Amino acid sequence: MKKKMISVIGAAVIGLNAFGGGAALAKDMHKDIVNVSHRGASGYAPEHTIAAYDMGEKMHGDYIEVDLQMTEDGHLIAMHDVTLDRTTDGTGSVKDYTLKEIKQLDAGSWFNEKYPYAAKAEYEGLKVPTLEEVFKKFGKNSSYYIETKSPDVYPGMEKELLRLVEKYNINKNKLLVQSFSPQSLKVMNELDPSIKLVQLISYKANAEITDAEIMEIKQYAMGIGPNHTYLNEEYVQKVVNSGLELHPYTVNDKERMKQLINWGVTGMFTNHPDLLHDVKKGQ
Ligand code: G3P
Ligand code: CA
């Protein structure tokens, strides 16, 4: 019911705004928008480092987003790519290295070289964190938005994730598990039906979704995470009115944030959680 009311308000605002530059937020629409620090505050610090996650919390991100890869010896680490090349000084596939080997790598200097305007000396030599270290550092009551990456490459990833969630007594009410793989989400759902799941979807052109697709996703997930680029008002309204949460990725522009909020999204991923925080405050 609440979602439907929000969408009705959104429709009214759509009638008032052209959604070009300077679009304003409808009163109170912003309050519950979920602010997800994408790979941490990765616009300001090397993605998937403790420094980036720390910054995300300081910048009022509601959730720490963690992408998972798995080492040769079965440890879950925080990393987006299946290979080490882009975000460390190593090369090759994560799955071919032990955790001890990956811990030798520098996961920060690439950022300083690629983004000199945001570079900091303290980023040099940062280590790749394990999921276990992330849980230890941020504790059981932080909000985590964890993605099972490449589950076909790492059979058993979901089971290991759940083992660590339980070992560290992570508050499942503040945990979301996301994946592009419906199969991975269904495995999670079978392992523990209480864990809330989000189906990621990548569109290459104008986003469309059928009633049948929504019904199928609702069998196991409470939300959808599409890339924001090809979204439109009709898509957003349809998904949100179905009762699903809608968290597009990755939105780094304040005007686009406002537009998506006015359309009715319920949260979003951003490399700049401070910008979304400003938008939510009406700035
Ligand atoms: O998980 C949302 C978004 O992060 C999906 O894309 O490639 O950044 O993991 P990616
Ligand atoms: Ca992700």
Side-chain angles (χ1 to χ4, degrees), residues 38-39 48 65-68 79-80 145-149 178 180 200 249-250 269:
H38 182 246
R39 313 180 194 178
H48 291 314
E65 198 231 357
V66 184
D67 293 320
L68 293 181
M79 188 172 288
H80 177 272
Y145 208 132
I146 300 179
E147 181 177 351
T148 54
K149 283 275 184 209
Q178 48 165 338
F180 286 101
L200 299 175
Y249 66 91
T250 304
F269 296 81

Side-chain angles (χ1 to χ4, degrees), residues 200-270:
L200 299 175
I201 305 176
S202 177
Y203 291 104
K204 305 257 184 274
N206 196 33
E208 290 177 12
I209 193 162
T210 64
D211 291 339
E213 287 166 332
I214 288 175
M215 289 291 285
E216 163 62 15
I217 290 168
K218 286 180 84 170
Q219 299 293 313
Y220 56 90
M222 50 72 78
I224 294 178
N227 56 324
H228 81 90
T229 312
Y230 301 107
L231 294 191
N232 53 71
E233 176 198 348
E234 186 187 354
Y235 179 100
V236 171
Q237 296 278 311
K238 183 171 186 175
V239 171
V240 173
N241 284 334
S242 79
L244 285 168
E245 300 290 322
L246 184 58
H247 299 164
Y249 66 91
T250 304
V251 190
N252 296 318
D253 173 81
K254 285 173 87 169
E255 291 308 316
R256 181 63 167 167
M257 289 171 179
K258 290 176 194 173
Q259 183 181 52
L260 290 166
I261 292 170
N262 282 328
W263 282 351
V265 304
T266 58
M268 66 189 83
F269 296 81
T270 178

Side-chain angles (χ1 to χ4, degrees), residues 190-202:
E190 275 174 26
L191 289 171
D192 186 340
S194 75
I195 291 184
K196 291 179 279 184
L197 305 174
V198 173
Q199 178 66 62
L200 299 175
I201 305 176
S202 177

